[in-house]
Amino acid sequence: MSTFLRRVVLLTGAGGGLGREFAHQLLAAGADLILSSHHPHRLTAAAEFAAHHQTSPHPGRIRALLPADLSDPASCDRLAQQVMHVAPDLDLIIHNAGVGLYGPLNVIPPAAIERLLQINLHAPIRLTAALLPMLRHRPNGQIVFISSILGRAALPNISVYSAAKFGLRGFASGLAADGYCVSTVYPFFTQTDILDAPQYGEGPPRRVPRWLVDQPRPVVRASLAGIAARRRHIFPGWKAKLFAVVAAVAPDLLPPFSRLV
Ligand SMILES: NC(=O)c1ccc[n+]([C@@H]2O[C@H](COP(=O)([O-])OP(=O)(O)OC[C@H]3O[C@@H](n4cnc5c(N)ncnc54)[C@H](OP(=O)(O)O)[C@@H]3O)[C@@H](O)[C@H]2O)c1
């Protein structure tokens, strides 16, 4: 994983389940990290987790911890300014922050819809636009979007989340067409707090069965391998790969699958 040695990386959503693991593995690979998350205490905990049990001969360093509320455009702009200040040599952005939302569209409060779109879609676009002038001059410049298998095919009751994840995929394709080095990652259901995201509507809460979910460590390992290889589309794990194939060639099989989740 020497590709990350001394690469300067901005990681959003660093305090979450995948974010903590990204920070840990990137640090082990020698990266120079700027970590951002919503809650300062989760950011500090993620930094401690990342530094813990590092056995790598060339560990990187954590250059800055920058809390930001990506649901607020002003906070998003502030984050971009801070990044320009602490990391004018930025090489890689991993847009990982995200929230979930489950339920029939007609019962989800409009404010919850707006908030999800702000965090999952508008903020990555806004941050990328602000940081691109800096990044475009870096020889190893790269932008990574953490989409989802639900950015390949939608399942019932998750339309707004899918809209944002499809949107990221479209935005990434546009940037790639403009000549930027872009990777989009499509994880399968993974054991993190997002699986307990707010659910609206009647009926008992839905839970993805444990036997079906992936674990953050291998998902992040496979994601970083794809990012290091500068792959355009990354499916971290066999379930993500299988879902993408079925979504492409036999989408009618997906609605029965959705009854499991
Ligand atoms: N886990 C899955 O099943 C799965 C599958 C496919 C794709 N993904 C995607 O993977 C990414 C990481 O999610 P995760 O699974 O690690 O979930 P998670 O544990 O819930 O982490 C979500 C992260 O997003 C941050 N965040 C939430 N609201 C924010 C806001 N207003 N401003 C700034 N940051 C905010 C959180 O910050 P705090 O920690 O500070 O609260 C947290 O660090 C997301 O984009 C998600 O959509 C997840």
Side-chain angles (χ1 to χ4, degrees), residues 13 16-18 37-39 42 68-70 96 98 147 161 165 190 192:
L18 288 177
S37 208
H38 187 194
H39 296 100
R42 284 174 59 92
D69 178 2
L70 296 182
N96 168 68
S147 177
Y161 182 83
K165 294 302 187 184
T190 308
T192 72

Side-chain angles (χ1 to χ4, degrees), residues 11-254:
L11 170 69
T12 69
L18 288 177
R20 279 162 27 123
E21 197 54 49
F22 269 118
H24 188 266
Q25 293 190 27
L26 281 165
L27 202 64
D32 198 335
L33 295 174
I34 294 101
L35 302 180
S36 182
S37 208
H38 187 194
H39 296 100
H41 67 279
R42 284 174 59 92
L43 196 49
T44 313
E48 283 165 5
F49 174 83
H52 202 56
H53 294 314
Q54 283 291 353
T55 52
S56 157
H58 304 291
R61 66 170 179 145
I62 296 173
R63 193 186 285 196
L65 300 181
L66 303 177
D69 178 2
L70 296 182
S71 71
D72 171 11
S75 176
C76 196
D77 291 347
R78 225 168 11 252
L79 173 62
Q81 289 294 331
Q82 289 170 324
V83 172
M84 285 184 225
H85 182 67
V86 298
D89 48 352
L90 185 69
D91 292 307
L92 169 63
I93 309 175
I94 303 181
H95 291 288
N96 168 68
V99 293
L101 190 54
Y102 181 89
L105 187 60
N106 58 321
V107 299
I108 299 176
I113 296 174
E114 291 302 322
R115 184 177 151 78
L116 183 145
L117 291 173
Q118 196 68 50
I119 297 167
N120 291 17
L121 182 60
H122 296 171
I125 294 175
R126 204 174 175 101
L127 267 180
T128 303
L131 297 175
L132 210 50
M134 240 167 51
L135 206 62
R136 74 194 329 160
H137 298 300
R138 300 292 295 169
N140 286 324
Q142 186 176 5
I143 307 161
V144 176
F145 298 94
I146 308 299
S147 177
S148 164
I149 51 159
L150 299 171
R152 304 295 304 190
L155 297 177
N157 288 322
I158 195 137
S159 56
V160 180
Y161 182 83
S162 268
K165 294 302 187 184
F166 270 74
L168 276 185
R169 183 177 150 202
F171 179 59
S173 296
L175 290 176
D178 286 338
Y180 295 104
C181 178
V182 180
S183 298
T184 310
V185 184
Y186 307 94
F188 191 74
F189 299 104
T190 308
Q191 193 60 58
T192 72
D193 289 353
I194 209 170
L195 297 185
D196 298 318
Q199 300 194 13
Y200 295 89
E202 292 172 356
R206 302 290 300 263
R207 291 275 169 261
V208 184
R210 282 188 74 87
W211 60 265
L212 197 59
V213 298
D214 285 334
Q215 293 305 312
R217 189 164 302 169
V219 168
V220 167
R221 197 179 304 120
S223 301
L224 288 177
I227 294 167
R230 298 169 91 81
R231 280 209 296 276
R232 188 51 204 90
H233 299 283
I234 300 166
F235 301 94
W238 69 265
K239 289 176 213 157
K241 290 185 180 75
L242 180 62
F243 186 98
V245 170
V246 175
V249 301
D252 291 347
L253 293 179
L254 290 178

